[in-house]
Amino acid sequence: MKVISFFFIFYENTHQQKASALQQHSHTLEETTTTVQQNTAYAHHAHGLALSAATVAQTTLLSKPIILALNATVEAARAGDQGGGVVASEVGNLAQSAATAAAAAAAREF
């Protein structure tokens, strides 16, 4: 009987060890899944922040050529009123170039 009892205890201990190892493995997988889910949430948040930053950068970059074009138009009008034909023409060309550049930049996606 001692031999049978020994094998039964050995088998039971081995079985318990395997069950314990499986529980530990399962717990590790659950922790890994939670970490992956958190990292996914962080990545989505970072993506949203990047899109917001790109929108701000795009708005800032596009507003400068538009302001330049408006300023050049005003300067061309002033120069034209004072009879500076060459200056008015060059400033007018600058205004047109700035307006064209602003429109082209607005058509592109960042």
Side-chain angles (χ1 to χ4, degrees):
M1 281 294 207
K2 287 186 174 186
V3 173
I4 294 174
S5 180
F6 172 77
F7 284 117
F8 181 72
I9 291 171
F10 177 77
Y11 176 76
E12 186 176 322
N13 285 342
T14 303
H15 188 65
Q16 287 175 350
Q17 289 172 350
K18 288 180 182 178
S20 177
L22 283 173
Q23 285 178 336
Q24 290 175 348
H25 183 67
S26 175
H27 181 70
T28 301
L29 286 175
E30 288 173 1
E31 288 178 340
T32 302
T33 299
T34 300
T35 301
V36 168
Q37 289 171 340
Q38 288 174 341
N39 287 342
T40 300
Y42 294 148
H44 284 296
H45 182 69
H47 179 71
L49 292 175
L51 288 177
S52 295
T55 300
V56 168
Q58 181 180 8
T59 302
T60 302
L61 290 173
L62 292 179
S63 66
K64 290 185 180 191
I66 292 169
I67 291 171
L68 177 62
L70 290 173
N71 285 340
T73 302
V74 169
E75 291 301 319
R78 284 184 187 160
D81 288 345
Q82 296 173 0
V86 173
V87 173
S89 176
E90 288 303 316
V91 175
N93 289 339
L94 175 61
Q96 183 61 41
S97 296
T100 301
R108 284 184 285 165
E109 289 188 35
F110 287 84

